[in-house]
Amino acid sequence: MRRPFKSAAATVSLLSMLACTVGQPASAQLNWSQVPGMIDVQGRITGTEKQIAEEQAAGRLTREKALTLGQSLDRIKQLDTQYRQDGKLSIFERMRLVLDLDKLSQEIQSSLTERSAGITDVAGREAELSKQISDGLLSGRLTSLEASSLNQKLDAIKDKEKVYRNDGVLNSTETLTLSLDLDHLASAIESTMKVRVIEDPGVDAKQAEIKARIDQLQSAGKLTAVQAEPLRQELARIHTHEEALKASGGSLTSEEVLTLALALERLKAQVDRYEPQVVPTAVRGIDTRQDEIKTAIAGAQTAGKLSVTQAGELMQEFGRIEALESMYRADGSLDNNEIMTLDRDLDALKKRTDDAIAAAPASQMTVSQRKENLRTRIEAARSGSLFNPSTVGDELLADLSRIDSKESFYKLDGSLSDTETLIITQDLDALSSRLDSALNKLPNLSAKKAEIETRINEALAASRLDPRKAEEIKQELNRISFLESTFTANDGKVDDREAVALSKEFNNLESKMSTYIEALPDVDALQSEIDKKMAEAKTRGSLSAGNADALKKEYDRIASVEASFRGSDSKLSDWEVMALKRDLDKLAADLDRLSAAAPVQVTVDVGSVAPDTRGHWAEKYIAILSQRGTIGGFPDGSFKPDNGITRSQFAAIAVKALNLPPAGRDAKFSDLSSRHWAYKAISAVSDAGLVGGYPDGSFRPEDKITRAQALVILSKALENASGDVKVLDRYKDGTKVAAWAVPSVAKAANAGILVNHPDPYSIRPADDATRAEVAALTYQTMARLGQKLPDIRTGLEASTN
């Protein structure tokens, strides 16, 4: 029979074989008798290709390095294709490919840099690493102690994830943190893995065997001297190659062992062509034997010679053999060793089946016993409401009565003939089949219980179920489980009536749980309400252009999150709906707060404004900040708006503008005395993380500050602003922003604080910032942080387009 490849069963079978042969390895030494017959080379190749693509997308591999690694993988693919030209991979060819893939995996790990984007599927990545540790232990590339240590690190990451998910969702920072932890663990696993060491599979013995075979074939006349000569020359070449490899160190590396083994295997194949091996007759007909055994098990169960448990155990072993055959056939056909393995396993299964049947009671159910069994089943199904419609039970009992009447008629002459017994038996078989088809499918109690547990966990995660109510439901669930245990205590199973009773209990519990779980909100309605409120606020003029733009960006972000949630199945899970509701509720609250705020009316006292700022483009910025005491002038009454500003002066302005608290600790800079006029201000901005010193430990308080440096400092206060660097494309010199300042300048532009005068489309990042420009940048930062200030648009045209 030709069966499809069963990956799950095959994996279980392979793990079973490995467990039997490998045990608990303490080193990376690989014995040839322990090499599994099926190494998933194609799976490794696909996984490696996916890893390269994902790491490049996450910014951990440069485009050039990913291209180089891809070329190395292509060479392995070509080698795999070359090896498969004869339809199968030998064990030596498989191990050659696996070693090459191991080396490529190590090269990938050594090429990775720090991640710039978080992993979306954190749980999937954790599962991959768990499997990698398990596989490493199983293959002997990790010791038990090393695997235990790595698993402890993985558990620590999972614990951290649970803490992060206390609020039901991972934000981008938490996702990136977990991703970096998983990356470090992956590197640790790869660096801990021992290099595969391949034992010598008997290279010298193989050479002697091939030499003897050539001599034997030539003596038997199956090989001429002309034909034998190139074979002997190739054998001599392999021997010379081996001696050359051993000359340097005396021992062979894993790659050298595989190289020699592959060469000898190819030579053996050439020799075999002159005397093909014949598969023994005893091991042919694997598929036919499987069919015979399967039929025997099914027939014995039907005849009552095997119990359900016995038949189940035999079919489980049958499934293992079937999966093993599927694995062997994955590369096209069965070789002699594989056929003999299957034949041996089938012999053992047939003996088990025959022994079980022989041990069964000699007597089968009589006609009377079968009728009584059917009657009992029909009555039980009718009382358990398992018929649909309910009248089916009455019809079946009527048919059974007719069979009784027929049997009574046949017995008028004293007994049933063989023919009459066969007729009655056929009628009973037909009635049994009708009974089976008429029964409603019994509820899957395990599935119902699992479904309820899943609903409880999902409702708790989505904050739709009170923890106390959840505990009440769990206690009720435990009560039903105890009831099920009571039913199974007598005969080890739940009969039809008991299954129906338990199903009703589960249904009642589901109904009760539905009343406890909070109804899901209408996300579409919430979005429509926010749209309406934003439109009304703009019409009334109660929402400034800057605030409206910030709210719109947050609204678009939530919409993009919803789209990603719907990406896989076009639906939203309960948790996803509640996460969107939380974001929309916060946005609605921000909208109400900002639109309810009355327009700020500020009168500028022209008499108090420094004379040298009158008529200046930044006059309003400077005047309002001066009146608030945020920024000051010079003793002679001037402001000097076009002069540069020092790092110490900027620190003093930032403390007042951002309402920074006094420093928790004094600044320690090599060139800053505690007697410096701005010492406390510099300590405050340093303690707040806004301004730092230089690598040499200095602060350089009198150095002039550039526009880029000012924007980097102010953007640190804009925690919720977008960092999308595409905004810099609006500016003429957006590409001239230094790499270290790009994220901060982009954040400032997205937040609408980037003031540029006289040309709003020029950033001029390297220019020294003037006192007027610092006043304008600081003003817009204060407004963006929610301080009540008049809306001033000078120099902001590019930021608000």
Side-chain angles (χ1 to χ4, degrees):
M1 69 182 81
R2 289 291 180 265
R3 304 174 180 83
F5 178 65
K6 301 176 182 175
S7 59
T11 302
V12 172
S13 178
L14 177 57
L15 289 176
S16 300
M17 289 189 291
L18 285 172
C20 293
T21 56
V22 178
Q24 295 294 330
S27 71
Q29 186 73 15
L30 184 61
N31 188 295
W32 287 99
S33 64
Q34 296 176 338
V35 176
M38 290 297 297
I39 298 172
D40 188 10
V41 173
Q42 289 292 332
R44 285 285 305 275
I45 290 175
T46 302
T48 303
E49 191 169 35
K50 178 183 176 185
Q51 182 186 8
I52 294 172
E54 288 179 346
E55 299 296 8
Q56 184 182 4
R60 301 188 71 209
L61 280 178
T62 64
R63 182 177 178 278
E64 293 75 13
K65 190 61 182 177
L67 182 61
T68 302
L69 294 170
Q71 290 171 348
S72 298
L73 184 60
D74 287 341
R75 285 193 289 273
I76 296 175
K77 288 181 181 178
Q78 291 170 2
L79 189 59
D80 179 48
T81 302
Q82 176 186 333
Y83 285 161
R84 291 181 187 270
Q85 286 179 355
D86 60 355
K88 294 177 68 67
L89 285 179
S90 71
I91 196 169
F92 303 110
E93 292 168 337
R94 291 180 193 280
M95 291 310 301
R96 169 82 244 188
L97 293 169
V98 167
L99 284 176
D100 287 348
L101 286 167
D102 285 346
K103 290 199 297 186
L104 179 57
S105 178
Q106 290 175 342
E107 186 178 354
I108 292 173
Q109 286 296 326
S110 64
S111 304
L112 296 179
T113 58
E114 196 77 347
R115 180 181 291 277
S116 60
I119 301 169
T120 304
D121 185 12
V122 173
R125 181 65 168 151
E126 290 171 345
E128 288 176 6
L129 293 182
S130 178
K131 182 178 184 300
Q132 191 175 352
I133 295 170
S134 176
D135 290 347
L137 177 62
L138 197 62
S139 66
R141 300 185 68 203
L142 289 175
T143 66
S144 299
L145 187 61
E146 290 167 341
S148 175
S149 174
L150 293 169
N151 276 319
Q152 287 176 1
K153 293 178 181 179
L154 181 59
D155 290 340
I157 297 173
K158 290 179 179 179
D159 291 341
K160 183 186 289 188
E161 181 189 358
K162 289 179 183 177
V163 174
Y164 285 162
R165 289 189 185 274
N166 279 339
D167 59 356
V169 63
L170 294 176
N171 59 37
S172 57
T173 302
E174 293 167 341
T175 302
L176 183 57
T177 300
L178 291 171
S179 301
L180 290 171
D181 289 346
L182 290 169
D183 288 341
H184 295 154
L185 178 58
S187 298
I189 293 172
E190 195 64 39
S191 62
T192 308
M193 287 276 197
K194 296 177 177 61
V195 178
R196 293 179 195 265
V197 178
I198 308 299
E199 288 184 350
D200 187 345
V203 172
D204 294 335
K206 198 70 175 178
Q207 292 178 61
E209 178 188 339
I210 293 175
K211 181 180 183 303
R213 187 87 182 281
I214 295 172
D215 294 340
Q216 180 184 3
L217 289 173
Q218 188 174 1
S219 300
K222 296 180 180 180
L223 195 62
T224 67
V226 175
Q227 293 170 326
E229 184 57 29
L231 298 176
R232 289 194 174 96
Q233 289 178 358
E234 176 62 13
L235 185 62
R237 184 194 67 78
I238 295 172
H239 180 71
T240 302
H241 187 196
E242 179 189 4
E243 293 300 319
L245 293 173
K246 288 182 177 179
S248 57
S251 60
L252 299 176
T253 66
S254 298
E255 293 189 21
E256 291 168 346
V257 168
L258 282 175
T259 300
L260 293 170
L262 285 170
L264 288 169
E265 186 178 29
R266 286 192 290 269
L267 179 57
K268 182 179 180 298
Q270 294 178 37
V271 175
D272 286 343
R273 283 201 296 268
Y274 294 98
E275 188 182 37
Q277 291 184 347
V278 179
V279 178
T281 304
V283 297
R284 291 177 176 168
I286 293 295
D287 294 335
T288 302
R289 296 193 63 199
Q290 285 177 304
D291 286 337
E292 291 173 352
I293 293 174
K294 186 174 183 180
T295 301
I297 295 172
Q301 183 182 0
T302 303
K305 295 183 177 181
L306 288 178
S307 67
V308 174
T309 302
Q310 288 175 314
E313 291 174 351
L314 293 171
M315 286 305 297
Q316 185 177 11
E317 173 62 10
F318 180 85
R320 185 194 69 78
I321 299 172
E322 193 175 42
L324 184 59
E325 181 194 2
S326 297
M327 287 173 52
Y328 285 159
R329 290 187 187 275
D331 52 5
S333 61
L334 299 176
D335 62 25
N336 295 346
N337 291 333
E338 292 167 342
I339 292 175
M340 294 185 71
T341 299
L342 292 171
D343 186 71
R344 181 195 63 228
D345 289 353
L346 287 171
D347 278 343
L349 177 59
K350 185 176 185 306
K351 185 176 185 307
R352 280 182 60 187
T353 304
D354 292 341
D355 290 345
I357 294 173
S363 60
Q364 300 183 24
M365 290 178 67
T366 65
V367 170
S368 297
Q369 288 172 333
R370 291 195 63 188
K371 285 194 302 180
E372 189 58 34
N373 180 55
L374 276 173
R375 193 184 312 278
T376 302
R377 289 180 61 201
I378 295 171
E379 292 287 359
R382 190 168 62 167
S383 63
S385 302
L386 295 180
F387 288 125
N388 186 20
S390 59
T391 55
V392 172
D394 296 333
E395 295 171 3
L396 293 173
L397 285 174
D399 287 342
L400 185 58
S401 296
R402 282 192 288 271
I403 295 173
D404 277 336
S405 300
K406 184 184 290 188
E407 182 185 4
S408 298
F409 174 75
Y410 286 156
K411 284 184 175 180
L412 288 176
D413 60 356
S415 63
L416 293 175
S417 67
D418 291 343
T419 302
E420 291 167 342
T421 301
L422 179 60
I423 292 172
I424 296 296
T425 301
Q426 288 175 340
D427 287 348
L428 290 172
D429 286 341
L431 182 59
S432 180
S433 298
R434 285 183 56 202
L435 170 59
D436 290 337
S437 61
L439 288 172
N440 286 332
K441 186 177 180 181
L442 285 172
N444 186 332
L445 300 178
S446 297
K448 273 185 169 291
K449 181 179 179 182
E451 181 182 350
I452 292 174
E453 290 174 338
T454 300
R455 283 191 65 191
I456 294 172
N457 293 332
E458 288 180 351
L460 282 171
S463 301
R464 295 177 60 210
L465 180 62
D466 185 279
R468 290 172 295 182
K469 297 290 187 183
E471 187 60 33
E472 178 184 336
I473 296 170
K474 288 179 180 178
Q475 290 177 359
E476 187 67 12
L477 194 60
N478 290 335
R479 182 190 66 78
I480 299 174
S481 297
F482 177 76
L483 181 60
E484 182 180 2
S485 301
T486 303
F487 287 156
T488 59
N490 294 330
D491 54 6
K493 62 181 180 178
V494 175
D495 63 27
D496 295 353
R497 281 178 293 182
E498 292 167 342
V500 172
L502 289 171
S503 179
K504 289 180 180 178
E505 293 279 358
F506 282 128
N507 290 339
N508 292 337
L509 181 57
E510 284 182 311
S511 300
K512 183 178 182 179
M513 183 167 58
S514 297
T515 64
Y516 287 166
I517 296 177
E518 177 187 344
L520 284 172
D522 187 342
V523 173
D524 293 335
L526 291 174
Q527 291 172 325
S528 299
E529 183 64 22
I530 290 175
D531 284 335
K532 181 180 177 182
K533 284 186 176 182
M534 288 183 70
E536 291 175 351
K538 287 181 180 179
T539 302
R540 293 195 310 267
S542 59
L543 195 62
S544 69
N547 288 336
D549 183 58
L551 292 171
K552 180 65 167 58
K553 288 177 180 176
E554 176 61 10
Y555 184 88
D556 291 341
R557 183 195 68 79
I558 297 173
S560 68
V561 170
E562 179 183 359
S564 67
F565 284 162
R566 295 182 184 273
S568 58
D569 54 6
S570 300
K571 296 188 297 185
L572 294 175
S573 68
D574 294 358
W575 176 85
E576 291 168 341
V577 170
M578 298 304 290
L580 290 171
K581 179 182 183 297
R582 285 194 293 272
D583 285 351
L584 289 169
D585 286 345
K586 184 177 182 302
L587 178 60
D590 289 341
L591 173 60
D592 292 341
R593 175 176 55 80
L594 294 174
S595 59
V600 180
Q601 301 295 332
V602 177
T603 303
V604 179
D605 183 1
V606 178
S608 64
V609 174
D612 56 351
T613 64
R614 292 173 186 167
H616 194 278
W617 68 267
E619 178 182 11
K620 290 183 180 180
Y621 291 120
I622 298 169
I624 294 172
L625 292 186
S626 295
Q627 288 182 10
R628 291 170 63 98
T630 303
I631 194 168
F634 291 90
D636 61 0
S638 65
F639 185 80
K640 301 177 183 177
D642 296 321
N643 281 12
I645 190 167
T646 64
R647 285 165 57 81
S648 56
Q649 291 170 341
F650 189 85
I653 294 171
V655 168
K656 295 178 181 178
L658 304 177
N659 294 320
L660 296 180
R665 55 183 178 180
D666 293 338
K668 301 293 184 182
F669 296 108
S670 59
D671 58 347
L672 185 67
S673 167
S674 60
R675 294 189 296 275
H676 191 280
W677 69 270
Y679 180 75
K680 290 185 178 180
I682 293 171
S683 296
V685 294
S686 175
D687 192 45
L690 299 181
V691 182
Y694 288 90
D696 62 359
S698 64
F699 184 80
R700 305 177 191 175
E702 305 310 319
D703 281 6
K704 293 292 191 295
I705 194 168
T706 65
R707 285 173 55 82
Q709 290 170 339
L711 289 170
V712 168
I713 295 170
L714 292 174
S715 68
K716 291 179 180 179
L718 305 171
E719 295 180 355
N720 297 323
S722 169
D724 187 356
V725 298
K726 292 181 180 178
V727 70
L728 299 183
D729 294 340
R730 300 177 185 173
Y731 298 91
K732 299 175 183 177
D733 53 356
T735 58
K736 295 182 180 179
V737 179
W740 59 268
V742 164
S744 299
V745 176
K747 199 174 179 183
N750 283 313
I753 73 162
L754 215 168
V755 180
N756 310 299
H757 187 83
D759 182 1
Y761 292 90
S762 295
I763 302 174
R764 297 180 286 111
D767 290 0
D768 285 344
T770 66
R771 287 169 56 79
E773 289 171 341
V774 167
L777 295 172
T778 302
Y779 185 97
Q780 295 297 352
T781 302
M782 294 166 64
R784 179 67 175 79
L785 293 174
Q787 297 191 34
K788 294 184 177 181
L789 293 169
D791 190 16
I792 302 177
R793 314 305 303 161
T794 307
L796 284 178
E797 288 86 344
S799 293
T800 56
N801 277 354

